[in-house]
Amino acid sequence: MKAKKILSALLAGTCFFGMSAAMTSSVSAEEVIKVGVFLPLTGDNAAGGELELRGVELANKNHPTVLGKKIQLFVQDNKSDKAEAANVVARLIEKDKVCAIVGTYGSSLAMAAGNIVKENKIPTVGTSCTNPQVTKGNDYYFRACFIDPFQGTVMANYFKKLGYKNVAIIQEVSNDYSVGLAKFFMDSFKGMGGKIVEIANYQTGDKDFTAILTNVKAKKPDAIYAPGNFTESALMISQAHQLGLKVNFYGGDTWETNDFLEVGGEDVEGAVLTTAFGREVATTKEAKVFLDTFAKEFKNEEPSALTALAYDAYMMVYYGIQKAGSTDSVAIRNAIANNKNLPLVTGKTTLNADGDPVKGAVIKTVKNGKFVYVDFVQPK
């Protein structure tokens, strides 16, 4: 999706919710159930935030009421910034008086808000924040996505299956998601007898990767594992091609955006990633509802895992409120923690003691400018 189109969509979504809040402002608090949403709708992670906002909107459209009351969404833009993430969550709690929160894309952003939701006892369900520290030690933070140790192990096993022995890692050191995923992959790969020939670092927002790619090329890796943000990753892969670095790149779920495809163009053909959703393994009733609704709203587009996960995060809050039978935040928290085998879009979901779902991972590749299903890996 082009930058202008993304901006238009974001503004439209923001205006929609702004209008919604204004139109319902005269309704008493007792007649609606307030749910907060915080996502990166501007800044470096905006494309991911937009895809997740789609998921929340679709879920709210399909399930607009619970306990006989309308669910009113309060959407805040965390601007892809840690400080802003903490600020907007505090605003949702203190000003908007939400009973639960959905969000966010980006582990760093989720962790920045962690203490606030914990101290205020407001249950929050993460969308695609995969770093284990998001939920670790926080009884009020849950998530719809699998975590990085599993995602990293899946890719390490895939590398072993492909026969790779010498691998380079390129990580976005200012991004907790990238550093964490790179570490879990490295530990798993080395444990299987693999060798890491180079670890290269870059910062969020970097656009010139020539120096680090030149060093990586000199080490002659069989493949490169480079989990990071979609824009920087696509630019890096394009520059690798220009340098004649003819090995395949592998990454994580953040790559599954239209921006990755558009920025990288033909250069990202063959890139492989782990992700959380594929229609080939979408077997629940809710998955069918999701796919049908998505097809009507976004014709000729394939739903991203980010959209599916955000839909599921909303549904986890929805079922939590339903099971609690009230808007008491502590009761909702307990209900979310104890719900089992929820029939979500990305599969039947039960949370473990840390608030993390135990679910499989999908492997996709880029083929003819689209993300194409390759395989499905169950957790062991």
Side-chain angles (χ1 to χ4, degrees):
M1 186 177 293
K2 299 295 184 183
K4 289 183 179 178
K5 291 183 179 178
I6 292 174
L7 181 58
S8 296
L10 294 176
L11 291 175
T14 304
C15 289
F16 170 81
F17 284 112
M19 290 171 64
S20 175
M23 290 171 66
T24 57
S25 61
S26 61
V27 180
S28 66
E30 290 74 19
E31 294 176 327
V32 298
I33 293 177
K34 299 180 178 182
V35 173
V37 180
F38 80 115
L39 294 168
L41 302 179
T42 56
D44 292 332
N45 300 318
E50 180 210 358
L51 292 174
E52 294 191 356
L53 182 57
R54 284 182 174 186
V56 176
E57 288 177 334
L58 289 178
N60 182 245
K61 179 175 183 176
N62 289 335
H63 303 275
T65 63
V66 65
L67 305 181
K69 298 180 180 180
K70 175 182 172 62
I71 298 175
Q72 182 179 353
L73 297 176
F74 290 80
V75 179
Q76 291 285 347
D77 176 12
N78 62 42
K79 302 179 182 178
S80 306
D81 180 81
K82 296 177 186 179
E84 189 64 17
N87 290 337
V88 297
V89 165
R91 193 176 309 146
L92 287 169
I93 296 171
E94 296 167 9
K95 180 183 177 183
D96 299 321
K97 308 296 182 185
V98 299
C99 65
I101 297 173
V102 172
T104 177
Y105 176 100
S107 296
S108 298
L109 304 173
M111 286 188 276
N115 284 336
I116 296 172
V117 302
K118 182 179 180 180
E119 291 169 1
N120 288 277
K121 297 183 177 180
I122 301 296
T124 301
V125 181
T127 45
S128 60
C129 40
T130 54
N131 190 295
Q133 295 306 313
V134 172
T135 58
K136 199 75 173 177
N138 190 336
D139 290 340
Y140 281 82
Y141 225 125
F142 307 91
R143 70 178 112 214
C145 54
F146 49 58
I147 59 174
D148 289 336
F150 173 59
Q151 188 174 192
T153 300
V154 165
M155 193 58 85
N157 284 327
Y158 193 61
F159 273 36
K160 182 180 180 182
K161 180 179 179 180
L162 294 174
Y164 294 150
K165 297 180 179 180
N166 301 303
V167 173
I169 292 175
I170 304 179
Q171 61 183 356
E172 187 177 348
V173 289
S174 51
N175 184 334
D176 292 328
Y177 161 87
S178 178
V179 173
L181 190 46
K183 181 183 185 305
F184 294 122
F185 165 83
M186 179 173 63
D187 291 345
S188 295
F189 187 66
K190 290 170 68 176
M192 297 173 188
K195 182 180 179 181
I196 305 299
V197 297
E198 175 75 356
I199 299 176
N201 302 325
Y202 68 94
Q203 298 285 338
T204 302
D206 283 356
K207 292 181 173 56
D208 184 356
F209 304 95
T210 305
I212 62 174
L213 288 170
T214 299
N215 289 335
V216 167
K217 182 180 179 182
K219 300 300 174 64
K220 299 180 179 180
D222 300 326
I224 296 172
Y225 188 56
N229 198 19
F230 43 85
T231 303
E232 289 86 346
S233 297
L235 287 172
M236 180 193 306
I237 295 172
S238 291
Q239 291 174 27
H241 280 237
Q242 293 168 14
L243 289 171
L245 183 51
K246 300 184 182 300
V247 297
N248 213 10
F249 277 75
Y250 297 77
D253 51 316
T254 52
W255 286 10
E256 198 181 1
T257 68
N258 287 334
D259 280 46
F260 178 79
L261 299 176
E262 293 192 355
V263 172
E266 293 183 358
D267 290 330
V268 296
E269 285 285 311
V272 179
L273 62 145
T274 44
T275 186
F277 176 76
R279 64 168 63 245
E280 294 81 359
V281 290
T283 58
T284 67
K285 181 179 178 181
E286 196 63 51
K288 184 179 185 308
V289 172
F290 166 76
L291 287 169
D292 288 347
T293 308
F294 186 92
K296 293 175 183 176
E297 295 289 328
F298 306 101
K299 300 184 188 305
N300 302 319
E301 287 192 45
E302 187 67 17
S304 164
L306 298 177
T307 303
L309 287 170
Y311 189 108
D312 281 355
Y314 174 97
M315 293 306 299
M316 288 169 68
V317 168
Y318 174 89
Y319 282 121
I321 295 171
Q322 186 180 73
K323 184 174 183 178
S326 77
T327 57
D328 177 75
S329 61
V330 176
I332 296 171
R333 179 265 161 212
N334 292 337
I336 292 173
N338 293 311
N339 266 326
K340 299 184 184 302
N341 292 317
L342 291 180
L344 303 181
V345 174
T346 57
K348 291 188 176 181
T349 301
T350 298
L351 301 180
N352 63 18
D354 288 325
D356 304 327
V358 179
K359 61 173 65 176
V362 173
I363 296 177
K364 291 184 180 181
T365 188
V366 179
K367 185 177 181 180
N368 297 324
K370 296 181 179 180
F371 294 105
V372 177
Y373 174 86
V374 175
D375 201 357
F376 181 71
V377 182
Q378 288 280 14
K380 294 181 180 179

